[in-house]
Structure formats: C-alpha cells, structure tokens
Amino acid sequence: MTAMPEAAAVTRAPRPRTTPPVWLVVALACAGQFLVVLDMSVVNVALPSVRADLALSEPGLQWVVNAYAIAFAGFMLLGGRAGDLYGRKRMFLVGLGLFTLASLGGGLAQDGWQLLVARAAQGLGAAVLAPSTLTIVTSAVPEGAARARAIATWTAVGAGGGAAGGFVGGVLVDVWSWRWTLLVNVPVGAVLLLGALWWITESRAGDGRRLDLPGAVLVTAGLAASAYGISQTEAEGWTSAATAVPLMVGLALIGVFLLVEARTAAPLMPLGMLRRRSVASANVAMFLSGSAMFCMWFFMTLYAQNVLGYSPTEAGLALVPSSLAIVLASKAAPRFMRALGERNVAVLGTLVAATGFAWQSTMSVDGDYVVTIMIPGILMMLGAGLATTPLAALATSGAAPGEAGLVSGLVNTSRTMGGSLGLAVMSTLAAARTAGSTGREALTEGYALVFRTGAGVLVGGAVVMLVWLPRRVPAVVAVPEAVSGAVPGVVPLAVPVSGEAGDERGVGVEADAEAEAGPEAGTGGKFSAE
C-alpha cells in the first residue's frame, strides 16, 4: 500500500530531457546553411519565367537576385553579433522563421514589387541564420579533429547548395512553376524549425556590447541606393536626376556609415582592422573578384534559355560541371597553397577564371554546349575555387583569435557587396548593348560584353593581388585539406585552420566565448564523419 504514493510521486516528476545526438545537431545546422546558399542560385533558372509571369523588365530581373544579396551582405555581420549576444539557437530560429515566411510570400507574389520585398526579407533572414549555423556546429562538437571534420561538412554542404541550385530550380520550374523555387523552402523550413526547437541547445557569448543596428541599416541602404542608381544609367544616362540622385544618396549613406563606425563603441566593422595589409588587400581582392564572379551563373542561365533555347531543367543540368568544378578546386586549393604560397594560388586562380570569362565572351547564337558553356564554365569556377580559399586564409591570418570571426564575416560581406554592385553594372552594360532588342543576336552581344568586362576586371584584380597581397600567411597558420568550397557570391563563413600544436578550430568562431559558455554550449558526444 505504501508503494502507491511513491509511484504517484515518480509519475509527477519531470522526465529529464535526453541529450540529442551530435550528428543530428550538425545536420540541422548544415541544412539551414544549405537553404541559405541554395537561394543564392536556385532562382537563376527561373528568371525568364518570372519575367513572363510578373512582367519584369530585363534589367529589373537583376533585383530578384540583388534584393536577396544586398540584404544578406548588409546584415550578415549584425546577424553574427546578435547570435553572440542573444543566443545562437534563438537567432537560428528567428532567421529561419523569417526566411521561411518570406519564401511563402515570394512564392505567392502577384506583382514584381511583392517578389522583390520578399526576396529582401529572405536575405535578412539568411543574414541572421547563416552565422548561427556555424557557431551551433562548433558549440556541438569538441575542439580537435572532430570539429575540423564537422566544419568541413558544413562548408561542403554550403557549396553543395550552390551547386544544386541550378538543377533543383530547373526541375521545379519545369514540373510546377517558378513559384516553387521559393515555396519549396516552406515545408523544409517548417521541419527544421521543429527540429531546432527540440534538439538544439542554446549558447551565447554575451559580452555586454550593443548591436550596431544603425551601421547595418546605413550600409545596406547605401549599397541598395548605389545599385539602383547604376541600374538607371541604361535608360536615363549618367547625368539624369534619376541616376545621379540615388547614386549621391548611396554614397552619402556609405559616408555616414563610415563616420558611425569610427565613432561607435561597438562598430559593425572596426575600421582599424583595415589598416592591416592582409585584411585590407584580401577584402579589396574579394570585392573585385565577387563583382565578376557573382554574375556568372546569372548570365549563363539567361544565355542558355533566351539564346540557345534550353528548358529550365536543361539549363540547370548544363551548369552542373561548373558547379562541381568549384567544389573540387576548393578542396584542392590547400595543397597548392602549401606548395606555391597563398598569394600565388590566389593570382593563379583569378587568371584561370579570367581565361574562362574571355572564352565565354566568344559565345554565339548557335553555340555548341561543350565549347560554349561547359569548358568555359569549368574554367571560371575552377578559378573561383582556387582563389577564394587563399584569400580567406590571408585575410584571417593577421587577426587575433577574438577577431577571427569578424574578419571572416567581413571577407564574406566584401565579396557579396562586390557581387551586388557588379551585377548592377553588368546588367546595365548588357541592356545598353542590346538597346531593348530581344533578338537572339542582340542578347548574345550583350551577354558577351558582360563576360569580356568580367575578364578585364579579373585581370585587374590579379594585378592588385600580385602587388598588394602578403606573400603567404604566417608560419603558425596552416590550411588543411578539409577546407571546402564556396559558390559565386558566397564565401564560407569559416576556413578551418590548425596550428602547429594541433589545435584545430574554425576561423569565424569565437573560441574564448564558447569556452565561457560552459557545458550548456555543447550537446555532448563526438561528431565523426566516418
């Protein structure tokens, strides 16, 4: 009889929550990163269908891509800091929730402006989500070889998102419609939200610093106004008010941003870091490289569909070899870096990409796939993969351990901002050359001009790298073979590095902050890629 109260007491006691498997936490974080990178490229093959359905102009199509990229670049550093202060899990949920809702809004858009607003909201959600995915991975996995494997998985999944974007988008457009390139995120996002809510453990590194929200708003608005002004030059000319006013507003906003960063106690972008040669030169190189590379898949997709008559699925399949090339080149880059030095590999990769751009500029209205798309595409992306990793390594080599995450995020921001402005310039050049004609010959001439211009920008970038970049990173920093690739416009938020003593960590992770977080920062267990 005395057992009954004891049984009731046991029944009323709360059941302890089990520790989630580490692989599951890593999988959830990697899936979030996959969505972020996928949406940089998945809409490219849908652009002709979007234009037909929503009556967007040819130059206006750039904003379907740029609205996402500008918001992503402008708020990325803020998103990383918010995760440190308010919790990585919380920011993962906020970013993923916003991203999912914006995907729903974009998929249901009935007018062009509605789609652009939804894409900007997607970019904002991605900027909050992406930094948290990496810190969740590093919080879940102990330092050492296991963490290096986990980070390599994270970067590989990100690269896979970019590589899969064209093909996935093409299939969705052909089977259903362009709307499903956005709507597909809704069920996936909902599942990830439930999984993250239940399995991911909260961690933070609250150091009392405030968020630099004014800085993020100023730089994003300045970049958007500048890109809009550039896009108006084709129709209005450089001297018209429609062009000059947004350009001046954009430059003024960027100027105010620099003043704010110089005066605020916790700046989004500490300007003092740019006095270091390694940081300044690598970021300028990333900006120039991104201004050309970001445009590649955008115009290749338009050429394949508008000129060669490929279906969306065929256009996506046509770019698979180049997608694989960037992953393979990024994986091979560390070996070349050890043999040739980081600066030489960055220059070599940029020149290989420039060769591909120059080759692509010889396109014709009846071009053969192998010669007109596959080979130049492979060269462009081989070069991108070879150049990105050494540039990121050089940029972060001069950073103190507590600054590594900030420098890594700055590199990513520089490349994406360069890509946004580059796409605006290149779209304007293409539209000016076609002079409003939709004929195949005129479109081909416009696209060819874009790739010739891109080749020139990359050659100029290679010269800047050769003259300005440090010869190699300090001897205490080595980049292992585990480094995976990036996609045009998206640099991995971390480059796994290891010191001579075997201490391995991801650049972009505030290791000291994680240590302060204590046992709650991790999930227990050990991640293994085997």
Side-chain angles (χ1 to χ4, degrees), residues 122-466:
Q122 270 191 309
L124 177 58
V128 175
L129 170 63
S132 296
T133 63
L134 177 61
T135 48
I136 286 170
V137 168
T138 54
S139 294
V141 184
E143 282 195 44
R147 180 178 291 182
R149 288 194 296 270
I151 293 174
T153 301
W154 178 87
T155 52
V157 167
F167 175 68
V168 171
V171 172
L172 291 173
V173 172
D174 274 341
V175 174
W176 289 298
S177 76
W178 68 265
R179 297 181 182 278
W180 280 96
T181 61
L182 300 172
L183 292 176
V184 70
N185 295 325
V186 177
V188 177
V191 171
L192 290 181
L193 280 169
L194 291 175
L197 192 63
W198 181 253
W199 292 115
I200 293 178
T201 304
E202 186 62 279
S203 66
R204 62 171 56 87
D207 55 7
R209 289 199 290 174
R210 296 180 179 179
L211 285 177
D212 183 17
L213 183 59
V217 172
L218 284 169
V219 72
T220 304
L223 183 63
S226 300
Y228 178 77
I230 292 170
S231 68
Q232 293 299 300
T233 58
E234 185 272 328
E236 305 292 341
W238 284 98
T239 58
S240 69
T243 298
V245 170
L247 279 176
M248 288 189 294
V249 169
L251 292 175
L253 288 171
I254 292 174
V256 175
F257 164 73
L258 295 175
L259 289 175
V260 169
E261 297 306 285
R263 295 172 179 271
T264 187
L268 188 68
M269 186 183 74
L271 301 180
M273 290 195 309
L274 297 179
R275 298 191 186 100
R276 301 173 190 163
R277 178 182 174 185
S278 59
V279 176
S281 59
N283 275 278
V284 170
M286 281 289 197
F287 185 92
L288 292 173
S289 176
S291 66
M293 294 293 186
F294 192 81
C295 306
M296 179 264 186
W297 277 337
F298 180 88
F299 287 103
M300 289 282 277
T301 300
L302 293 180
Y303 170 65
Q305 294 187 68
N306 293 341
V307 176
L308 299 183
Y310 287 18
S311 69
T313 300
E314 290 170 339
L317 284 171
L319 297 179
V320 167
S322 58
S323 302
L324 296 176
I326 193 172
V327 177
L328 295 175
S330 299
K331 185 171 180 61
R335 295 187 178 93
F336 287 101
M337 290 160 62
R338 286 192 290 269
L340 303 176
E342 288 75 15
R343 184 185 68 181
N344 291 336
V345 175
V347 172
L348 174 63
T350 303
L351 291 177
V352 169
T355 302
F357 271 75
W359 188 330
Q360 188 64 56
S361 70
T362 65
M363 63 178 66
S364 63
V365 295
D366 54 356
D368 178 72
Y369 165 69
V370 173
V371 176
T372 309
I373 292 182
M374 189 180 79
I375 295 178
I378 288 175
L379 286 174
M380 285 186 273
M381 292 300 99
L382 278 175
L386 285 174
T388 296
T389 300
L391 287 175
L394 285 167
T396 55
S397 66
E403 298 175 338
L406 187 60
V407 175
S408 184
L410 183 60
V411 168
N412 208 355
T413 301
S414 296
R415 184 174 174 89
T416 309
M417 285 185 173
S420 301
L421 291 178
L423 181 56
V425 172
M426 298 298 188
S427 296
T428 300
L429 290 175
R433 177 56 63 92
T434 59
S437 173
T438 57
R440 295 169 63 212
E441 292 81 3
L443 290 175
T444 302
E445 290 179 5
Y447 301 152
L449 176 60
V450 165
F451 285 99
R452 280 198 298 274
T453 305
V457 171
L458 289 172
V459 170
V463 173
V464 170
M465 295 176 200
L466 191 62

Side-chain angles (χ1 to χ4, degrees), residues 458-511:
L458 289 172
V459 170
V463 173
V464 170
M465 295 176 200
L466 191 62
V467 172
W468 195 7
L469 285 175
R471 190 176 298 275
R472 59 169 62 238
V473 301
V476 295
V477 179
V479 182
E481 297 177 6
V483 175
S484 187
V487 296
V490 178
V491 179
L493 292 177
V495 178
V497 299
S498 61
E500 289 180 336
D503 176 47
E504 295 180 79
R505 69 186 65 195
V507 174
V509 181
E510 298 186 27

